[in-house]
Amino acid sequence: MSGDTYLAYDYPLLSAFWTMLVFFLWVMWFVLLFRIVVDIFRDDELSGWAKAGWLVFCIVLPFLGVFVYVIARGKNMGHREIKQAREQQQAFDSYVRETAKGSAPTSSVDELAKLSEIRARGDITDEEFNRAKQMVLSGSHH
């Protein structure tokens, strides 16, 4: 090797940069691979044989399989991900609605018991307790 030829490893900072770049690209490769595997299973339009074929293609020839999948089916990956996120949000919203609807309103006895506990802990004064108790008993607490 001549004196004019320099490698990245002749400069420690450049060596660290290349190491971080390679590590970053390696991590990004696995993120992309796992996203594609998840998308293969998420897609309801694919038959079982098509899913198995894409999965084998991505496992046996990972680089080629992933790039071909992104080219052939990548456009709809985002649409499928958004659709699943919306479905999850709708399911969560309906669960919250059902749970909120199912919970019975607290009775004034329960509220008085809670107020009593709060006063016993010293979080509110006797005057605040009496004011809150009057509000509960008069029914204007909602």
Side-chain angles (χ1 to χ4, degrees):
M1 181 162 60
S2 70
D4 296 329
T5 306
Y6 295 103
L7 297 175
Y9 294 103
D10 292 335
Y11 300 98
L13 188 59
L14 193 57
S15 170
F17 169 76
W18 281 112
T19 303
M20 287 188 303
L21 180 66
V22 168
F23 181 74
F24 173 76
L25 292 175
W26 184 73
V27 169
M28 289 306 298
W29 166 252
F30 279 104
V31 168
L32 181 62
L33 181 65
F34 289 130
R35 285 191 61 159
I36 286 177
V37 170
V38 166
D39 188 65
I40 289 171
F41 286 108
R42 177 186 298 150
D43 191 4
D44 294 332
E45 296 173 10
L46 285 177
S47 68
W49 287 107
K51 288 180 183 184
W54 276 114
L55 201 57
V56 167
F57 190 32
C58 287
I59 291 174
V60 173
L61 299 170
F63 289 107
L64 185 62
V66 165
F67 292 136
V68 169
Y69 186 88
V70 169
I71 291 168
R73 303 184 46 81
K75 180 181 177 186
N76 293 327
M77 282 178 71
H79 297 302
R80 285 188 289 274
E81 193 167 338
I82 290 170
K83 180 183 170 195
Q84 185 198 22
R86 283 188 184 137
E87 289 171 356
Q88 284 179 336
Q89 185 65 42
Q90 288 172 350
F92 177 74
D93 290 346
S94 68
Y95 170 76
V96 168
R97 265 187 245 105
E98 290 298 318
T99 304
K101 200 185 321 177
S103 64
T106 57
S107 69
S108 52
V109 174
D110 293 335
E111 291 190 31
L112 287 174
K114 288 179 188 174
L115 281 172
S116 175
E117 289 175 22
I118 293 172
R119 183 181 63 172
R121 285 197 312 254
D123 293 339
I124 60 173
T125 64
D126 288 338
E127 180 184 323
E128 291 170 327
F129 171 77
N130 289 329
R131 217 175 317 130
K133 182 172 79 168
Q134 291 304 318
M135 288 174 51
V136 168
L137 293 177
S138 69
S140 64
H141 59 284
H142 288 291

